[in-house]
Amino acid sequence: SPNQEGFGAANRALSVKAPTSGGVANLELIGLGNADNDELGYVNFMSQAATDSAAAIVGLRHTSDTSGKLAFRTAGSERMRITSAGVVWIKSGILEINSESTSTATAEIDKIEFKKAHGSGAHLGYYTLGEIRSYTNGGYSGGMKFYTGKNVGGGSYASTFAAIIDSNGNVGIGTDNPQFPLDIHHGTPELNLY
């Protein structure tokens, strides 16, 4: 079609180009599925010498023609799915977050944020309900820090430290340096369990 270029080129098999400046490029895979979980289309990743897919992204029908899901497969098995409601299922049971940092300094490395939308249109924003952050304490050991979201007034929100599990397995609530298996700091008196 006039909006496709590069088919059969040396370094790309297919590219889809928008028809006009500022336009959107669309690649449509149109299936004829009628029932829940009918497969509508595949993007297969294959070795030239193989007959089976090494990996695939599969579009699945949900309960209507305008409601769908995405399945992600490797080695012929589904590993992850995004449902029509936006829920992410990881079927292998493992979520691994690898940092590219090679620093040996004490620092926070990765985090998972939990956010909620507010406002709309041009004023749409998100505020943080909570965070889980991993950290290293200067080498190969580390732990997890937990933060909660807090309304600090004036329409501003901030993440506030709440608790930690350190590299020794000590749990600190209200302190990021627990000295006991359970070390709670919330004003005076403190509670230490050991």
Side-chain angles (χ1 to χ4, degrees):
S1 84
N3 300 328
Q4 296 180 357
E5 64 175 24
F7 193 81
N11 60 353
R12 58 186 178 185
L14 171 67
S15 65
V16 180
K17 184 178 179 181
T20 60
S21 176
V24 177
N26 289 317
L27 175 64
E28 294 183 347
L29 304 176
I30 301 172
L32 300 176
N34 295 311
D36 190 23
N37 288 319
D38 277 357
E39 295 175 347
L40 300 176
Y42 282 80
V43 177
N44 270 327
F45 303 89
M46 300 180 70
S47 171
Q48 183 177 0
T51 56
D52 293 323
S53 171
I57 302 171
V58 185
L60 304 169
R61 189 183 187 278
H62 187 42
T63 54
S64 75
D65 288 333
T66 57
S67 177
K69 317 165 194 180
L70 283 177
F72 298 81
R73 298 175 181 169
T74 60
S77 296
E78 185 174 330
R79 308 298 183 183
M80 186 175 82
R81 179 176 290 205
I82 302 175
T83 72
S84 60
V87 176
V88 178
W89 296 347
I90 299 176
K91 297 206 167 190
S92 66
I94 298 171
L95 173 62
E96 187 172 301
I97 301 174
N98 293 316
S99 172
E100 297 297 317
S101 172
T102 58
S103 172
T104 57
T106 298
E108 292 181 355
I109 303 297
D110 298 300
K111 66 181 175 180
I112 300 172
E113 293 184 342
F114 303 90
K115 295 192 170 214
K116 184 179 186 303
H118 67 96
S120 62
H123 303 288
L124 179 65
Y126 296 87
Y127 57 87
T128 301
L129 299 176
E131 296 179 5
I132 302 172
R133 302 181 188 178
S134 68
Y135 76 93
T136 175
N137 54 7
Y140 295 102
S141 59
M144 306 297 293
K145 293 182 179 180
F146 300 85
Y147 290 75
T148 56
K150 184 177 181 181
N151 186 337
V152 295
S156 297
Y157 295 82
S159 293
T160 304
F161 171 79
I164 189 173
I165 303 174
D166 71 10
S167 58
N168 296 312
N170 292 336
V171 176
I173 300 175
T175 175
D176 64 359
N177 187 26
Q179 301 300 306
F180 307 96
L182 178 58
D183 199 347
I184 300 175
H185 290 230
H186 186 66
T188 305
E190 300 170 359
L191 174 63
N192 312 120
L193 301 180
Y194 52 91

